[in-house]
Amino acid sequence: MTAMSRLAVHSYPPSFRERYGAELEALVEDTGTSARTVLDLLLGAARAWLRPALATDGRRRRLQASVTTVWMAWCAGFFVVPAINRLLLDPPMPSVSGTDRSLLGAAGVLLIAGWVLALLGALPLAWRALVQARRGGDWRPLRPLLPTLVVGLADSALLVAVALVPRGHSPAHPSALFVVVTLAWLVCFLALVAMLGIAPALTVTRVRPDERTLRAPALLAAAVALCLAGTTATSLAASIDAGAGPFGTAVLTVGVLASLVALVSAMRGVRTAASPV
Amino acid sequence: MARRRDEVAWADPALLIMGSLADGPKHGYAIVQDTQARVGTTLGPGTLYAALSRLEERGLVRALPGDDRRRPYQLTAAGVEVLQQRLTAMRSFAARGLALLRTVPS
């Protein structure tokens, strides 16, 4: 199996890989790999993310898939708000109106609400993971969280460094040290956001919480998906009015895609949670 | 994607898979080979497992215990019924189409 085809198989949702991953890899080894095979796998992965099919243990897997997918979409899309705020308000663009500021304010409120709901939903899962690990003495499911913790600490340290390092004579001519430290922090931050999205989802998949534990997080995931859609929509409206430029367009595109994925997945989770057993 | 060099696509991957399983359980590679041999269509691994997962979710196929990583799949009773209905409808469609073509002046 080539590296590209292995990457393509790994792009499937964790729940799909748990059920079909080994078979899929065996089939790719049997049939051989080509660019067409890789494309076919990537399209299959996209389909699996957007319309997951969960045969065995279906209800539990459906709820788990919704929770992990919405969490990852949230981590991919929440930075739309600070990015658009930075573009439009720091420094304030002349084209930004009072309405735009209100829209950005609303996006900020939804951002905070989304984080509160996401963390509330994570609590029962974190508790289940810790209890299970402690009882069984098997801490391996929690391993994906360790690198995230390390990168998080490094990011915090770099943020402090950014605040303490002398900036230079003027904002237009920052010191070389400030630029280096800021870039290092930015790279670390992006890595942290990526790991923050992936590591908890991986951990939940390994812990395999039962349907009862997943029900409340799945319902809260729907609220998080709505917050994500709201932050993206309000930021988009402000950006269209004020003109955020190509970088803003790129950021908003990520936000829109993340919102769509989150809404579709959350809707399926709510349907499962609400349907009779 | 299901590849075949025809001008008009004629078979859904799910139907091709069910048709392949009609004569007994097969694992993924055997389904791909069988479909290629019988109808000249190559099912990519992504396409195959997208369709297989849907069929399994709907209870039309079931996975059997297998050696290492290659699990054979088998039609369920519901799958046999659905396949029969689909093929009967296709046979009627084909018969009517061929009959109509005979009336068209060449």
Side-chain angles (χ1 to χ4, degrees):
Chain A
M1 236 169 99
T2 62
M4 278 306 297
S5 55
R6 193 167 282 116
L7 197 65
V9 171
H10 278 271
S11 67
Y12 277 79
S15 53
F16 191 97
R17 279 191 285 119
E18 194 183 346
R19 171 64 186 86
Y20 299 107
E23 294 175 51
L24 197 50
E25 283 182 359
L27 181 59
V28 173
E29 285 166 17
D30 288 340
T31 56
T33 46
S34 63
R36 201 181 266 270
T37 304
V38 171
L39 181 61
D40 181 63
L41 286 168
L42 291 172
L43 288 173
R47 250 177 270 143
W49 277 106
L50 288 173
R51 292 186 61 211
L54 305 155
T56 54
D57 195 18
R59 288 176 63 90
R60 192 199 70 78
R61 283 174 184 267
R62 173 64 268 168
L63 294 175
Q64 181 178 288
S66 287
V67 167
T68 53
T69 302
V70 170
W71 171 259
M72 285 193 278
W74 174 258
C75 289
F78 83 89
F79 69 91
V80 164
V81 174
I84 297 298
N85 266 274
R86 176 72 176 81
L87 274 173
L88 298 184
L89 299 179
D90 186 18
M93 285 173 62
S95 53
V96 173
S97 66
T99 307
D100 297 333
R101 286 177 192 274
S102 301
L103 285 167
L104 291 172
V109 169
L110 286 170
L111 177 67
I112 294 169
W115 270 115
V116 168
L117 291 166
L119 293 172
L120 274 175
L123 282 175
L125 297 171
W127 180 252
R128 167 65 57 191
L130 283 169
V131 164
Q132 199 167 298
R134 212 159 162 253
R135 272 198 198 141
D138 182 13
W139 295 86
R140 279 176 299 174
L142 301 181
R143 265 196 217 151
L145 298 172
L146 270 177
T148 312
L149 192 61
V150 169
V151 172
L153 290 170
D155 184 66
S156 304
L158 283 167
L159 191 61
V160 169
V162 166
L164 295 177
V165 157
R167 296 188 175 210
H169 300 294
S170 69
H173 299 97
S175 68
L177 182 61
F178 179 75
V179 170
V180 165
V181 172
T182 305
L183 278 173
W185 167 77
L186 188 61
V187 167
C188 205
F189 177 71
L190 291 173
L192 177 63
V193 171
M195 291 168 88
L196 208 55
I198 295 166
L202 255 179
T203 300
V204 167
T205 307
R206 290 180 184 189
V207 167
R208 296 172 59 88
D210 57 29
E211 189 182 325
R212 206 174 61 153
T213 307
L214 285 164
R215 191 176 295 270
L219 293 172
L220 285 168
V224 171
L226 286 171
C227 286
L228 180 58
T231 57
T232 305
T234 45
S235 301
L236 181 63
S239 301
I240 290 171
D241 191 51
F247 180 69
T249 305
V251 164
L252 286 163
T253 303
V254 172
V256 167
L257 289 172
S259 300
L260 284 171
V261 167
L263 286 171
V264 168
S265 191
M267 189 177 66
R268 294 177 188 276
V270 165
R271 224 181 280 154
T272 302
S275 65
V277 177
Chain B
M1 52 205 87
R3 281 179 285 145
R4 185 187 164 100
R5 292 197 188 106
D6 286 340
E7 290 179 358
V8 178
W10 68 280
D12 180 71
L15 186 61
L16 291 175
I17 291 167
M18 292 175 78
S20 175
L21 294 175
D23 65 350
K26 293 185 183 68
H27 55 59
Y29 187 47
I31 296 172
V32 169
Q33 286 183 307
D34 183 60
T35 310
Q36 170 64 37
R38 288 198 203 196
V39 298
T41 297
T42 307
L43 294 171
T47 304
L48 177 73
Y49 274 92
L52 261 178
S53 61
R54 294 233 164 278
L55 288 170
E56 196 176 14
E57 188 188 40
R58 287 174 199 157
L60 301 179
V61 304
R62 76 164 69 89
L64 301 174
D67 304 327
D68 57 60
R69 300 174 298 163
R70 291 161 180 82
R71 292 183 77 171
Y73 289 82
Q74 176 188 59
L75 283 177
T76 60
V80 168
E81 197 182 323
V82 166
L83 180 63
Q84 203 147 28
Q85 284 171 1
R86 176 53 62 193
L87 292 177
T88 304
M90 286 170 73
R91 184 172 58 188
S92 303
F93 179 77
R96 180 169 161 73
L98 288 167
L100 286 173
L101 281 174
R102 277 196 285 274
T103 66
V104 173
S106 53

